[in-house]
Amino acid sequence: MGDLAGVTAKLPYLQSLGVDAVWLSPFYKSPQADAGYDVADYRAVDPLFGTLDDFDAMLEKAHSLGIKVIVDLVPNHTSDEHAWFREALAAAPGSPERERYMFHPGKDSKPGSGDGALAPNNWKSIFGGPAWTRLTNDDGTPGEWYLHLFDTKQPDLNWENPEVHDEMRSVLRFWLDRGVDGFRVDVAHGLVKEAGLPDWDGAAAMVEGGLSAPGAHSEAVEPHTARLHIVPAADNSAGPVATAVEHKVKPPLDPPSPFFDQDGVHEIYREWHRVLAEYDGDRMLVAEAWVEPAERLARYVRKDEMQQAFNFDFLLAGWDAERMAEAIESSLDAAGSVEAPSTWVLSNHDTVRHPSRFGLEDPTTFPKGIAAEDEQPDAALGLARARAASMVSFALPGSAYLYQGEELGLPEHTSLPAEARQDPSFFRTKGVERGRDGCRVPLPWKSAEPGFGFSEAASAGTGGVGAAGKVPAAPWLPQPEAFGELAADVQAGVGGTTLELYRSVLAFRRAHGLGSGTFQWAEEHDPANGVLAFHNRDVLVVINMGTAALPVPAGLRVELSSDGSSGEASIVPNSGAYLVAL
């Protein structure tokens, strides 16, 4: 899986790429039931990744290179192997130990009404299946139920309990004392649940947005279900069966979700804001909050709460000029209303990589993973579109986030065999959801080495001899053969490659101050015909998502283009973008 020493070794690569900060997904002690998002100890590094000394060395090296470090905080739930949950299991119902989590009797457990066999409510897990699991007492009798909005091994914390607030503030201070620059807050919209835990017939997903956000009132077609209709195999195995293409309509949800975007989360982030203010330097919080509309998301970045929130409307807009323009405008307006910067992101560890999404027949769809049985993306078209869209994201005012390997143009691994998959959502839905493993495949560093140079740890019997006589370990997820042509050593220093495009665009962004710049739609802006164009400071940005070639305005010279061309030219249809310094 790589380790902290490996991160340290690659920090010069990140510096040469032109990034300002790195966000690390969880490296805490964990049984790895959900890739580390099941934390057993918030103050310890899992031995899989190294030690606290390794973390300190990585942080020191990053700071020496001018790179800030943001660590992932998982406050909605812990691992079932966390000391608190073990104590809760050993304690009696109603005990202080159980009050740290969401333990409840069954809804039919009142005297004379039943034995508590019905779950406290009808909530469903984000990963599929029920959101409640019933305990078995030491004497073999059935016991209480506990809530897990995700996997059974991820019990939800009870944020009505002051002890939970105290503990998480202490965790913040532990890492701030070590010098971290900020926190990415996992499921930031999910900590507080509606009082009384009412039944809810909606179906929330972790990766949704726009009109299909959890609890939104809409009859629009769900983007992520507008692909193949997937049903479990007849033998109930993990292998799914694809049938005819169809569009499902999501009915309006009323009331909205009782476990997402509750007003009570904001007081938690005001508490955390005060903790960060105790420390010198520019410390920050960034929210992973799948909420809609943009005005609701803006509440997370008010002046006394977080500093940034991921802009998933932009990510979900897809390859569509009108949708992208609407996402840009609404995001800037909402963030501006609270004097916060917007953010821009196209891929992350929970989504199909955008070069693959943009290569689908409908490039606005949002599949929950892609398998060999599904429609396979047009790799060349998807990459061309991805390069253009990435240029737009880096040219907008605000903070731009890029997902590891995006700078190499990596596609989704769309042919992972079922036996290689590890995402709990794949197993809990019996393969109906393909899962997130396809975007988490390790990076290719060196094209000619086993595992494309990702692993160099000594591990007998796992492959050929790599650098310095070391025997590489097999990467934790298998890499597709196509990664060899996209390896960092193949692209570095070669004009026209995606890696060099990213380096050039990020240098251009810094030189022109685009992150802290201004925004105005340009005269050329025509989203109805596939053209998105805007000014930021002294730069004109144009992306052609239409079907006809678009000439560069007379008298202007292209500084950077997504297809590598420059000078006076036209922008290729359906996949081109350029930046012009006015």
Side-chain angles (χ1 to χ4, degrees):
M1 291 185 77
D3 53 29
L4 289 172
V7 173
T8 304
K10 297 302 182 184
L11 287 171
Y13 166 86
L14 295 181
Q15 183 190 42
S16 71
L17 182 59
V19 303
D20 305 290
V22 58
W23 150 36
L24 300 174
S25 55
F27 51 82
Y28 312 111
K29 185 176 180 182
S30 166
Q32 300 296 322
D34 183 27
Y37 285 92
D38 49 320
V39 179
D41 188 341
Y42 290 91
R43 298 176 179 84
V45 172
D46 194 286
L48 185 68
F49 305 121
T51 66
L52 275 173
D53 287 341
D54 291 328
F55 176 86
D56 291 340
M58 181 275 300
L59 185 64
E60 181 180 5
K61 179 67 172 179
H63 285 168
S64 73
L65 296 175
I67 297 174
K68 296 181 183 293
V69 175
I70 300 166
V71 299
D72 216 320
L73 189 66
V74 189
N76 180 72
H77 48 264
T78 73
S79 166
D80 64 344
E81 298 185 22
H82 191 284
W84 271 14
F85 196 72
R86 290 178 171 176
E87 292 169 4
L89 294 181
S95 62
E97 290 82 1
R98 290 207 172 180
E99 286 299 311
R100 296 164 174 164
Y101 293 91
M102 305 287 286
F103 282 95
H104 287 273
K107 64 167 54 178
D108 59 340
S109 61
K110 295 181 180 179
S113 66
D115 63 358
L118 294 178
N121 62 32
N122 67 347
W123 294 357
K124 298 293 188 291
S125 165
I126 310 304
F127 285 165
W132 295 91
T133 290
R134 196 176 192 185
L135 300 176
T136 300
N137 297 323
D138 291 340
D139 61 2
T141 60
E144 288 190 308
W145 299 75
Y146 72 90
L147 178 68
H148 51 87
L149 288 182
F150 295 90
D151 193 65
T152 53
K153 292 182 66 63
Q154 295 169 291
D156 278 49
L157 289 164
N158 174 19
W159 278 91
E160 300 300 321
N161 186 340
E163 188 177 3
V164 174
H165 289 247
D166 293 343
E167 170 64 5
M168 210 55 67
R169 287 196 300 268
S170 175
V171 169
L172 289 173
R173 290 190 175 97
F174 177 85
W175 293 104
L176 289 166
D177 288 343
R178 301 194 89 84
V180 304
D181 301 286
F183 302 88
R184 177 265 189 184
V185 183
D186 184 63
V187 196
H189 57 313
L191 279 57
V192 174
K193 282 69 176 177
E194 184 176 336
L197 308 182
D199 281 351
W200 185 62
D201 294 325
M206 182 170 54
V207 183
E208 286 190 340
L211 293 176
S212 62
H217 301 258
S218 169
E219 295 182 355
V221 173
E222 284 192 275
H224 69 276
T225 59
R227 302 305 314 156
L228 295 177
H229 178 49
I230 306 297
V231 297
D235 61 359
N236 204 35
S237 70
V241 177
T243 61
V245 175
E246 68 173 27
H247 287 266
K248 295 181 181 179
V249 175
K250 185 173 185 177
L253 301 176
D254 189 11
S257 164
F259 49 78
F260 280 164
D261 197 29
Q262 298 293 304
D263 289 342
V265 299
H266 297 287
E267 184 51 44
I268 296 171
Y269 302 133
R270 292 185 185 100
E271 293 177 11
W272 293 7
H273 184 101
R274 292 191 289 270
V275 171
L276 267 63
E278 299 170 7
Y279 291 81
D280 294 333
D282 188 13
R283 314 297 176 109
M284 62 90 78
L285 297 165
V286 56
E288 182 212 28
W290 296 88
V291 302
E292 173 70 16
E295 290 75 19
R296 294 287 296 184
L297 183 62
R299 301 175 73 209
Y300 289 77
V301 290
R302 290 176 290 196
K303 288 202 174 287
D304 59 348
E305 296 190 38
M306 299 199 192
Q307 283 70 36
Q308 294 185 9
F310 289 121
N311 178 1
F312 295 120
D313 279 354
F314 183 74
L315 184 152
L316 288 159
W319 182 260
D320 182 280
E322 290 182 289
R323 290 173 51 148
M324 185 176 285
E326 181 180 356
I328 290 171
E329 191 164 320
S330 63
S331 300
L332 288 172
D333 286 348
S337 70
V338 291
E339 299 182 23
S342 188
T343 64
W344 312 103
V345 60
L346 288 165
S347 288
N348 66 26
H349 66 296
D350 289 328
T351 66
V352 171
R353 288 180 177 272
H354 64 284
S356 295
R357 284 188 281 118
F358 291 172
L360 294 171
E361 181 181 356
D362 180 350
T364 66
T365 53
F366 199 80
K368 294 185 177 180
I370 301 175
E373 299 83 9
D374 302 328
E375 177 199 347
Q376 296 299 296
D378 182 327
L381 179 61
L383 178 57
R385 289 171 168 175
R387 287 163 58 116
S390 295
M391 286 185 65
V392 171
S393 71
F394 296 144
L396 287 162
S399 287
Y401 288 77
L402 64 97
Y403 180 48
Q404 55 97 6
E406 178 184 328
E407 76 281 1
L408 301 177
L410 296 187
E412 187 85 355
H413 193 342
T414 61
S415 58
L416 272 174
E419 58 270 20
R421 294 188 179 273
Q422 302 185 31
D423 189 346
S425 66
F426 175 78
F427 300 102
R428 289 180 64 88
T429 63
K430 301 186 186 304
V432 173
E433 289 189 16
R434 308 313 201 186
R436 301 161 293 173
D437 297 312
C439 69
R440 299 178 175 186
V441 175
L443 271 64
W445 295 104
K446 301 174 183 177
S447 61
E449 293 197 4
F452 300 123
F454 179 78
S455 300
E456 294 182 351
S459 180
T462 58
V465 176
K470 295 180 179 179
V471 180
W476 72 289
L477 286 170
Q479 301 151 305
E481 290 185 10
F483 272 24
E485 300 175 359
L486 299 172
D489 67 336
V490 172
Q491 297 195 43
V494 179
T497 62
T498 304
L499 175 58
E500 292 305 323
L501 174 68
Y502 267 63
R503 286 175 171 169
S504 297
V505 174
L506 292 177
F508 186 93
R509 168 187 168 88
R510 184 185 301 274
H512 289 266
L514 301 184
S516 58
T518 57
F519 178 87
Q520 183 179 4
W521 292 120
E523 181 180 349
E524 294 80 5
H525 186 58
D526 185 10
N529 289 308
V531 179
L532 190 153
F534 60 89
H535 294 285
N536 183 353
R537 294 191 187 273
D538 60 346
V539 174
L540 170 65
V541 183
V542 183
I543 182 170
N544 185 5
M545 298 171 142
T547 57
L550 184 69
V552 175
L556 298 182
R557 176 180 174 82
V558 175
E559 297 284 341
L560 287 170
S561 69
S562 61
D563 65 356
S565 62
S566 61
E568 295 181 4
S570 63
I571 316 172
V572 295
N574 205 20
S575 61
Y578 66 57
L579 305 178
V580 174
L582 300 178

